[in-house]
Amino acid sequence: MTATARPPATPRPPATAPSTDTALPGPAGDPLLGMALPLRRDLLGTLHAGFARYGDVVAYRVGPARGPHRLVVALHHPDDVRRFFADTEAFTRRTASYRAVRELFGRNIATAEGDDWRRQKRLLQPLLTRAAASRYAAVIEEEAHAAVERLGREPATTIDALRTTERYALRVLSRTLFGDDRGIDDDTVAALERLIPVVSRQMPARAKQTVRLPLAWPTPRNRRFAATRSALHATIERVLARAPEGDGPGLLSQLRAARDPAGGEPLSEREIRDQALMFLLAGYTTTSAALCSTLQLLGCHPEAQEQVAAGGEQWADAAVQEGLRLYPPSYVLGRRVGAGGAEVAGRTLPPGTGVLVSPWVTHRHPGFWRDPERFDPSRFADAHARDERPQHAWFPFGGGARACIGRHLSLAESRSFVRALLERCRIESLDADMPMDQLSTIRPSRPVRIRCRPR
Ligand code: HEM
């Protein structure tokens, strides 16, 4: 899906008196199924078309018009996006998607709720702050240069950017997990490369099931899901068994050494396993997809590429942020309205309503982005342009207290790779477009061919 459309002007309609029937604008859809099929087949295309036609708040009915049906409301204005993340009572994570994540990855910081989440946050937050992530700068630099070195010194080399960035992201993640250059062994790399595409498909598929039977029921689908989970656990347990004992710079040692400042309790071995698994999955597919998209965009825009190559860290950062704007790996985020209902556009959404925000759509909002489809790293290099924009016009890492805990590490990884590559090469994308699959994250649906020529 690459097409874009222009939505109506940004000013918000004046708030009217709250009422219980939502009567929010949106497509009628099929009399029996509503918008169930378009949302299932092409979520991004449907959300973007809805935004183009109805504006910042769009309601989608799932099910028959006359009879029991579900409501899904998409919010595209940065003010609503901010509330979506801030008001965790009104917008809860009690969704089918998070349940599927929990079924596969257990109870970790991303899937925990309430006090349990607050405890895990106290234990994990200090490990990945900007300052903490900067401890890995040397490892990241080393891996970035090693990855570029591996391209060889031929006059021209064509790479599959996704494969290259996946290998790089996995190397960096394994060295930050371990804290030394042993990293993850080849068997584990191969196992992860096999498992990740499976997980990326199975998780959203389980979340979309109309009838989700308990995993204990041995249906063929449940058996496949359970087999993936066992394979993931076996893989991470192999990683943990090789992890260095005692104190060390690696995230795994620090997870083991972490103590809750509010009582001194450590994480259980089970929790350490589930966090490590979450770091691996949350940090690998996302960072590699983001970096791959940035390379594709730079390869299509030689002028911007030269500006970035000459602009040092600031412009490499700006290119990565602009890549995350146009291709945010976490392209749609969902919540369910809590017991007290939620206020949106002067209406009260009843408990249980599905609510979506889409970085993909809001990152193309013409009220906040001039010429939104154009790749322009100066949007982020220019401090004035940056400060003019509302904070939630750009949210590839989510927002609020539950914003991405790995964002500093991920940005450092991508920035270092872009700098190391452009220092050494001019790159050219061999395909103008980059079709994407909509899985648990967006992922190029075919190899991303990029030609690298030494400078
Ligand atoms: C480009 C790379 C990345 C992107 C686009 C990304 C995106 C996101 C988003 C959007 C959320 C919030 C989800 C929500 O609100 O529903 C999130 C949460 C999270 N991310 Fe990332 N992420 C990236 C890299 C990483 C890395 C490298 C790690 C780990 C090392 C990581 C670990 C996590 C964890 C643990 C959470 C849950 C935080 C919480 O609930 O408190 N992510 N990420």
Side-chain angles (χ1 to χ4, degrees):
M1 191 214 76
T2 50
T4 58
R6 290 218 157 284
T10 307
R12 314 277 321 273
T16 55
S19 75
T20 49
D21 81 346
T22 58
L24 289 167
D30 175 85
L32 271 185
L33 298 173
M35 291 298 286
L37 292 183
L39 288 169
R40 185 178 282 266
R41 288 196 189 122
D42 179 8
L43 180 58
L44 270 181
T46 306
L47 292 182
H48 210 185
F51 172 60
R53 174 93 192 272
Y54 301 99
D56 291 333
V57 179
V58 189
Y60 301 89
R61 189 188 78 240
V62 175
R66 299 183 194 289
H69 59 254
R70 258 182 346 103
L71 198 65
V72 176
V73 175
L75 307 174
H76 301 303
H77 192 284
D79 292 355
D80 288 330
V81 172
R82 184 183 50 74
R83 274 187 340 107
F84 172 93
F85 288 119
D87 190 344
T88 51
E89 292 299 313
F91 304 106
T92 74
R93 285 188 176 204
R94 282 189 279 280
T95 65
S97 302
Y98 268 105
R99 204 179 6 247
V101 179
R102 200 175 303 132
E103 283 171 339
L104 265 181
F105 301 121
R107 195 163 272 285
N108 57 57
I109 186 171
T111 58
E113 288 274 357
D115 288 343
D116 188 24
W117 170 72
R118 276 181 277 280
R119 180 180 63 87
Q120 298 198 32
K121 181 88 173 180
R122 286 194 300 270
L123 281 149
L124 268 72
Q125 175 76 31
L127 310 186
L128 282 166
T129 56
R130 193 189 296 274
S134 67
R135 274 200 301 260
Y136 301 108
V139 165
I140 293 174
E141 277 297 305
E142 210 180 289
E143 286 298 333
H145 283 95
V148 172
E149 207 48 56
R150 277 193 293 273
L151 300 181
R153 292 195 172 271
E154 303 307 310
T157 314
T158 299
I159 60 168
D160 171 0
L162 185 60
R163 201 161 166 71
T164 303
T165 54
E166 281 184 341
R167 281 268 153 130
Y168 166 66
L170 197 51
R171 287 254 354 130
V172 171
L173 209 56
S174 67
R175 289 196 56 190
T176 45
L177 280 175
F178 276 75
D180 60 27
D181 64 0
R182 259 180 311 158
I184 288 181
D185 59 22
D186 292 347
D187 293 350
T188 306
V189 170
L192 286 170
E193 285 180 341
R194 215 179 30 254
L195 276 169
I196 302 242
V198 176
V199 170
S200 302
R201 284 181 197 286
Q202 280 189 350
M203 226 165 32
R206 172 125 178 110
K208 282 184 196 161
Q209 281 176 290
T210 322
V211 181
R212 255 183 315 278
L213 295 172
L215 273 181
W217 293 34
T219 64
R221 209 178 201 171
N222 280 356
R223 272 209 290 268
R224 283 194 298 275
F225 197 84
T228 305
R229 185 168 59 183
S230 316
L232 279 172
H233 289 170
T235 306
I236 199 68
E237 267 140 25
R238 204 172 39 233
V239 171
L240 290 172
R242 290 184 70 240
E245 288 298 326
D247 278 352
L251 275 173
L252 288 176
S253 310
Q254 290 175 48
L255 282 174
R256 288 204 163 113
R259 295 289 176 271
D260 184 353
E265 290 303 304
L267 290 164
S268 68
E269 260 314 299
R270 167 83 179 255
E271 284 176 322
I272 289 172
R273 182 200 69 185
D274 291 349
Q275 309 295 354
L277 196 50
M278 194 70 223
F279 283 172
L280 215 51
L281 270 295
Y284 162 48
T285 52
T286 48
T287 303
S288 52
L291 182 51
C292 173
S293 309
T294 304
L295 300 184
Q296 165 72 11
L297 291 161
L298 287 164
C300 288
H301 299 84
E303 261 175 61
Q305 185 185 143
E306 289 316 302
Q307 201 171 24
V308 172
E313 198 160 294
Q314 184 205 357
W315 277 85
D317 239 347
V320 170
Q321 294 177 54
E322 177 67 345
L324 281 163
R325 181 183 72 82
L326 287 168
Y327 292 98
S330 303
Y331 54 104
V332 173
L333 301 168
R335 300 287 190 267
R336 189 165 295 287
V337 170
E343 250 333 277
V344 166
R347 305 275 191 292
T348 305
L349 300 183
T353 305
V355 182
L356 303 176
V357 294
S358 167
W360 179 286
V361 175
T362 303
H363 289 180
R364 287 167 168 78
H365 196 310
F368 304 99
W369 303 98
R370 200 169 298 129
D371 199 359
E373 287 301 338
R374 188 163 57 87
F375 175 66
D376 178 8
S378 75
R379 297 175 204 270
F380 291 92
D382 171 351
H384 180 65
R386 218 179 30 235
D387 299 344
E388 270 207 328
R389 269 188 310 268
Q391 187 194 347
H392 291 87
W394 184 81
F395 59 101
F397 296 109
R402 300 200 70 159
C404 179
I405 200 175
R407 62 192 183 280
H408 302 302
L409 185 67
S410 175
L411 287 170
E413 269 179 70
S414 295
R415 177 176 59 225
S416 292
F417 189 94
V418 167
R419 289 196 69 196
L421 184 64
L422 296 192
E423 251 165 39
R424 170 73 190 273
C425 303
R426 277 195 180 81
I427 61 173
E428 181 201 345
S429 302
L430 301 183
D431 305 298
D433 66 339
M434 184 175 64
M436 304 298 259
D437 284 337
Q438 298 174 37
L439 309 170
S440 50
T441 57
I442 46 171
R443 195 166 188 271
S445 46
R446 64 173 189 221
V448 178
R449 300 179 311 141
I450 291 192
R451 183 164 295 143
C452 308
R453 294 178 202 280
R455 280 187 184 272

